[in-house]
């Protein structure tokens, strides 16, 4: 059991308006911190009042972006308990990201202990209303004070949380997606598979361009040929073509291996769908569309769970998918997955962990 020191607030913050939580706006009373120092390893785990950090401006994270993050949620079940969804998968991914960024790995059980202990402290922040949850953001920053380009020898691992609203306040609405052909997010050999802030920093320009044109997100193509579909913004993508479900394969290392993606593949197969993980070119999607075989397209991720694409603009062609409505595959997947996450259906795969 991870030893955690508790320094709890004397007075809790006022709770936000549970009907207007938004995303990532209201942070809870406390934060979790653990330090790493060379020779000592990870040490001094503590839960302390949520507060500003005091850091030397020469800390490595500010200059060379040696930083990683994760994202998962705690869900309130109908009988008032709180559960996490596949936190082991987030921690495994966290350690793959750490390896890529030369950040020391964390012990899986320590992180599970930290997550449970921290959510327990903040349990009155886990909202109750339909579709709401407590978003959990673990992250690590490099804190060595020096400007030489080397992996840091000291780090801070922190966890902050915020209650978040139902992603779809008025039912699931399909989104407009712009295919980005100029900028790329990731290349083979790069950090596409790692959950790092740097991937987002370099994707902002494409995102901003798309937003200015009235689109909500960007569909990224592979960084070498600009031909194959990678993913959308902060979501993995699925296309239903002629009844078959196709999602880009992870082998090249330029796609973030989503926990929602992994769970969706398993659930869809369990429902009897054929799911192919393979290279999928934009040309193949356009051809399917022209032949009337592009049944559905949707993104998956922890925040929105399943997000249908209503319009996909390739620059040459605007494809309206499934009449700009959520399709049966996306709907069934959304219903099944959310029922497990919020504890409304039997968890036959053993994916949830009570806090
Ligand atoms: C986090 C993330 C996803 C989704 O992963 P989940 O584990 O399903 O939340 C997809 N793409 C990118 C780029 C991400 O950062």
């Amino acid at each position: 059991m991870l030893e955690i020191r508790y320094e709890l607030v004397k007075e809790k913050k006022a709770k936000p308006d549970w009907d207007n939580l938004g995303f990532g706006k209201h942070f809870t009373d406390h934060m979790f911190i653990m330090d790493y120092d060379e020779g000592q390893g990870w040490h001094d785990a503590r839960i302390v009042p949520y507060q500003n950090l005091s850091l030397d401006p020469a800390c490595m994270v500010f200059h060379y972006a040696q930083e990683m993050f994760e994202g998962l949620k705690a869900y309130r079940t109908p009988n008032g308990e709180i559960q996490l969804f596949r936190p082991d998968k987030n921690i495994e991914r966290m350690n793959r990201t750490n390896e890529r960024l030369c950040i020391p790995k964390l012990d899986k059980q320590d992180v599970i202990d930290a997550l449970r202990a921290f959510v327990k402290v903040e349990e009155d922040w886990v909202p109750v209303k339909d579709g709401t949850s407590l978003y959990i953001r673990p992250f690590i920053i490099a804190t060595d004070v020096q400007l030489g380009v080397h992996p840091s020898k000291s780090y801070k691992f922190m966890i902050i949380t915020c209650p978040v609203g139902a992603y779809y306040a008025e039912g699931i609405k399909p989104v407009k997606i712009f295919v980005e052909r100029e900028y790329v997010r990731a290349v083979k050999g790069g950090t596409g598979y790692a959950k790092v802030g740097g991937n987002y920093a370099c994707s902002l320009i494409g995102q901003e361009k798309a937003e200015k044109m009235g689109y909500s997100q960007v569909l990224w193509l592979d960084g070498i040929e600009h031909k194959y579909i990678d993913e959308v913004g902060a979501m993995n993508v699925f296309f239903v073509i002629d009844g078959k479900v196709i999602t880009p394969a992870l082998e090249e290392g330029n796609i973030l291996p989503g926990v929602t993606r992994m769970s969706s593949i398993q659930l869809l197969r369990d429902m009897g769908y054929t799911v192919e993980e393979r290279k999928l070119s934009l040309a193949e999607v356009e051809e399917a569309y022209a032949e009337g075989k592009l049944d559905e397209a949707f993104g998956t991720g922890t925040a929105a769970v399943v997000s249908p694409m209503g319009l996909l603009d390739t620059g040459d062609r605007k494809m309206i998918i499934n009449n700009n409505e959520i399709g049966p595959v996306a709907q069934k997947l959304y219903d099944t997955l959310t029922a497990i996450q919020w504890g409304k259906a039997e968890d036959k795969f053993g994916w949830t962990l009570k806090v």
Side-chain angles (χ1 to χ4, degrees), residues 55 124 165:
L55 292 170
D124 54 342

Side-chain angles (χ1 to χ4, degrees), residues 178-187 218-232 254 280-283 314:
F178 184 73
V179 179
E180 178 54 57
R181 290 164 177 278
E182 184 187 354
Y183 302 111
V184 298
R185 189 192 87 93
V187 290
V218 165
L219 183 122
W220 298 103
L221 299 177
D222 77 277
I224 293 168
E225 294 177 79
H226 298 209
K227 217 167 112 180
Y228 297 98
I229 292 171
D230 273 359
E231 57 182 312
V232 160
N254 38 347
L280 175 65
S281 67
L282 182 62
T314 68

Side-chain angles (χ1 to χ4, degrees), residues 49 74 99 123 150 182 200 239 249 277 284 298 322 326 333:
E99 185 164 39
E123 65 184 339
H150 300 285
E182 184 187 354
Y200 281 86
F239 291 83
E277 288 182 76
E284 183 179 341
F298 54 89
N322 194 46
I326 182 164
L333 176 62

Side-chain angles (χ1 to χ4, degrees), residues 184-186 190-204 220 256:
V184 298
R185 189 192 87 93
T191 55
Y193 70 91
K195 215 165 168 77
V196 299
N199 287 345
Y200 281 86
C202 69
S203 73
L204 294 175
W220 298 103
L256 199 287

